[in-house]
Amino acid sequence: MSFRARHLLGIEHLAPDEITTLLDLADSYAALNRSDSKHSDALAGLTQINMFFEASTRTQASFELAGKRLGADVMNMHMQATSLKKGETLIDTALTLNAMHPDLLVVRHPHSGAVSLLSQKVNCAVLNAGDGRHEHPTQALLDALTIRRAKGRLHRLTVAICGDIAHSRVARSNIHLLGKMENRVRLVGPPTLLPSQAAEWGVEVYTDMVEGLKDADVVMMLRLQKERMDGAFIPSEREYFHRFGLDAEKLGHAKPDAIVMHPGPMNRGVEIDGTIADDINRSVIQDQVEMGVAVRMAAMDLLARNLKAAKAEEGVLV
Ligand code: NCD
């Protein structure tokens, strides 16, 4: 098996064969999820703890369902409501949980790097469910699986990632993944929302949607991350939609069979026209949600196997 990682902290340190291994397994979980009996015992006897220090709807639900379908004992910690309020540090919280012997820890945190720090203090496998504006690896993997299933391949595609790139961990993880799999990545957005280092990332940068979308195979829209903005980055939402919101006219510049993606939650009428988002001939937004569960099942299964192998090597009975 070619998946060697001990934690899933980002896409940056994964090799292309590890990505392919994970996506292949996720494909088989996608089939299981469409069957009548959605259970496997890959995580039977293991404990999964979800720690979300930032609001989440689909990612948390998806990780919870993934763990339950694989037979793990799943616990959701409501971090706003716990000792954090009483001033406990991230590390103390992690050490407390570690003492309860979890096998998988799924963490979302508003600070870039916090999840990696935490992974150094615990004995279990840690999955990054989004850290600040840094990485969101399972999102990029579910996007990759959605693209591979819709396009029949995951290489030599032109992918336009559009909107608020500067504040987006989804964009960063996707740039790593799509680049490793040899695709052409374009970033499209207003200069205020494009990170200054973008030119060093091996991507093409555009500030005009018509040019950026020209002949694209995949159009990936991103939400304006208002909660990460300190001050005004756009003149108004109306103006933003006019210049950067995806509507039928702008999409007309991409390839006729281009697919439309969005990680959610969507701001309809701001970064995407509601009609496009709901167009089942173009939009794969619901497929992304479906693939999210399958990808998280695959990620936790592979990490649990590596954890068991590592413990067996250390002579610990599991
Ligand atoms: C993304 C996130 O939280 O980074 N959403 C998600 O995981 N479904 C993108 C976003 O919040 O815009």
Side-chain angles (χ1 to χ4, degrees):
M1 186 190 71
S2 57
F3 188 86
R4 299 163 295 275
R6 179 136 195 195
H7 304 288
L8 183 59
L9 301 175
I11 300 294
E12 189 177 1
H13 302 294
L14 286 185
D17 67 322
E18 291 183 288
I19 293 170
T20 303
T21 299
L22 196 150
L23 297 184
D24 290 347
L25 181 61
D27 251 331
S28 69
Y29 279 129
L32 179 78
N33 289 339
R34 285 186 183 184
S35 71
D36 288 340
S37 174
K38 300 172 179 56
H39 280 279
S40 139
D41 58 4
L43 300 183
L46 302 187
T47 300
Q48 171 192 339
I49 300 182
N50 297 334
M51 290 167 82
F52 280 68
F53 295 89
E54 237 186 29
S56 166
T57 315
R58 74 206 73 213
T59 305
Q60 184 165 359
S62 178
F63 266 113
E64 183 176 352
L65 203 52
K68 287 184 171 161
R69 286 191 178 159
L70 295 182
D73 293 316
V74 185
M75 184 172 83
N76 289 310
M77 296 284 295
H78 300 288
M79 299 315 296
Q80 281 88 346
T82 60
S83 20
L84 273 196
K85 276 211 166 143
K86 302 180 188 163
E88 189 175 69
T89 67
L90 171 67
I91 300 304
D92 283 334
T93 309
L95 291 178
T96 304
L97 289 176
N98 193 47
M100 298 181 195
H101 298 293
D103 302 283
L104 296 152
L105 206 50
V106 179
V107 189
R108 169 170 285 192
H109 199 278
H111 296 159
S112 303
V115 183
S116 167
L117 181 71
L118 193 144
S119 74
Q120 294 159 21
K121 311 282 177 191
V122 296
N123 306 321
C124 58
V126 176
L127 292 100
N128 181 1
D131 63 324
R133 54 175 86 178
H134 177 227
E135 281 234 38
H136 190 352
T138 55
Q139 179 69 44
L141 288 160
L142 75 88
D143 290 339
L145 186 61
T146 307
I147 295 172
R148 195 172 81 165
R149 288 167 70 107
K151 292 279 150 207
R153 66 180 201 274
L154 187 59
H155 59 273
R156 296 207 187 154
L157 293 166
T158 300
V159 183
I161 306 179
C162 313
D164 184 0
I165 317 279
H167 300 100
S168 175
R169 52 198 176 204
V170 176
R172 271 172 192 67
S173 289
N174 265 299
I175 292 165
H176 284 305
L177 193 153
L178 294 165
K180 281 177 199 279
M181 305 314 269
E182 295 180 13
N183 296 283
R184 199 167 155 188
V185 180
R186 297 179 183 166
L187 305 183
V188 193
T192 45
L193 294 177
L194 288 163
S196 49
Q197 333 86 291
E200 299 153 27
W201 293 348
V203 295
E204 296 162 31
V205 180
Y206 294 87
T207 54
D208 181 275
M209 285 288 273
V210 173
E211 286 170 32
L213 262 53
K214 194 170 180 305
D215 296 327
D217 297 288
V218 177
V219 180
M220 188 182 288
M221 302 308 299
L222 298 173
R223 182 176 67 89
L224 277 182
Q225 308 254 316
K226 288 181 218 153
E227 74 277 20
R228 290 187 220 290
M229 292 181 190
D230 188 11
F233 283 74
I234 56 164
S236 74
E237 289 189 350
R238 210 162 146 244
E239 170 72 8
Y240 183 80
F241 180 70
H242 176 66
R243 294 198 51 204
F244 294 98
L246 187 68
D247 57 13
E249 203 251 303
K250 295 189 192 89
L251 183 59
H253 296 277
K255 287 211 180 124
D257 62 351
I259 55 168
V260 173
M261 308 180 76
H262 193 303
M266 269 186 283
N267 293 311
R268 289 170 183 259
V270 180
E271 70 262 356
I272 190 165
D273 182 279
T275 325
I276 299 279
D278 298 334
D279 180 352
I280 51 165
N281 294 314
R282 306 305 294 271
S283 163
V284 294
I285 295 171
Q286 297 306 327
D287 304 74
Q288 289 174 270
V289 179
E290 182 185 358
M291 291 312 123
V293 180
V295 153
R296 290 171 179 126
M297 289 167 84
M300 291 196 290
D301 180 353
L302 292 170
L303 289 174
R305 291 187 213 180
N306 288 354
L307 185 71
K308 280 183 188 166
K311 283 189 179 170
E313 221 167 78
E314 287 161 18
V316 182
L317 277 182
V318 281

